[in-house]
Amino acid sequence: MTKETNKVDHHFLGSGWAFPVTFSVGNHQLNLSAYEENINESIDIILQTRNGERCMEGGFGGGLQQFLFKKMDETLKGEIKEAITYALMYNEPRITVTDVDVQFRDIRGGVVEILLTYMYNQTNTRHNYVFPFYINEGTNLI
C-alpha cells in the first residue's frame, strides 16, 4: 500500500495542529498531526480540559480534575469511567467508545491508568489508547 493510498483510506480521520503546539526547527512551520495520531491527541485534549474551561464551549472537556485527591476505590473507578464515556461521546464524533478500563497502578503514588477501547465510526476499526492520570498530583509539599 502506498502512502497516497493510505491518505485516501484514512482521510475521514482528519488532520490538524499537533498537540502540544510545536514548530519545526528548520523552516519554523507549525507541526501537524493526522489520522490516528490526530484522534489520540484530540482524546488527550478532551481528557485534560476541565468542564467549563473553554468560554464558548462550556460542555467541552473530560472534567477528570474533579477526581483529584479522592479516595481510590471502586466508586471512583465507576465515576471516572462514566465521565470519560460521556466526554468522548459528546466531544469526539469520529469514534465510539466501546470500553473504559480504569486501574489503580500505584495507590500510594495516586497513579490511575485508563485504557480506552474505541472504534472509528466510519470503518469500525478497533483501537486502544492509554491515558495516565495522577490522583495525588501536587501533594509533595514540604
Side-chain angles (χ1 to χ4, degrees), residues 42-57:
S42 176
I43 291 170
D44 208 38
I45 291 169
I46 292 167
L47 296 182
Q48 290 184 37
T49 303
R50 298 175 191 267
N51 289 335
E53 186 174 342
R54 290 194 174 181
C55 60
M56 300 301 280
E57 292 186 54

Side-chain angles (χ1 to χ4, degrees), residues 9-141:
D9 292 343
H10 298 298
H11 168 72
F12 69 94
L13 295 177
S15 63
W17 289 19
F19 180 78
V21 178
T22 55
F23 296 89
S24 63
V25 176
N27 57 6
H28 306 292
Q29 295 293 318
L30 185 67
N31 288 329
L32 302 175
S33 67
Y35 315 130
E36 292 89 356
E37 181 184 6
N38 185 261
I39 288 180
N40 286 341
E41 288 177 355
S42 176
I43 291 170
D44 208 38
I45 291 169
I46 292 167
L47 296 182
Q48 290 184 37
T49 303
R50 298 175 191 267
N51 289 335
E53 186 174 342
R54 290 194 174 181
C55 60
M56 300 301 280
E57 292 186 54
F60 185 86
L64 294 180
Q65 294 78 5
Q66 67 182 321
F67 303 118
L68 291 175
F69 308 112
K70 285 202 172 185
K71 180 180 177 188
M72 295 173 74
D73 58 8
E74 293 302 312
T75 302
L76 181 64
K77 282 185 181 181
E79 290 173 351
I80 290 172
K81 182 176 180 175
E82 183 180 337
I84 289 171
T85 303
Y86 180 84
L88 293 176
M89 179 173 59
Y90 286 102
N91 296 304
E92 183 49 78
R94 299 175 289 181
I95 64 170
T96 299
V97 176
T98 57
D99 188 38
V100 178
D101 183 33
V102 178
Q103 296 294 322
F104 299 138
R105 290 292 174 214
D106 179 11
I107 292 186
R108 288 188 56 106
V111 178
V112 177
E113 186 176 89
I114 302 165
L115 175 65
L116 303 173
T117 304
Y118 59 90
M119 290 186 351
Y120 298 132
N121 289 336
Q122 196 152 352
T123 63
N124 292 332
T125 306
R126 197 170 147 216
H127 289 273
N128 296 320
Y129 180 69
V130 177
F131 181 78
F133 183 64
Y134 301 93
I135 295 290
N136 295 331
E137 196 169 335
T139 60
N140 59 352
L141 301 175

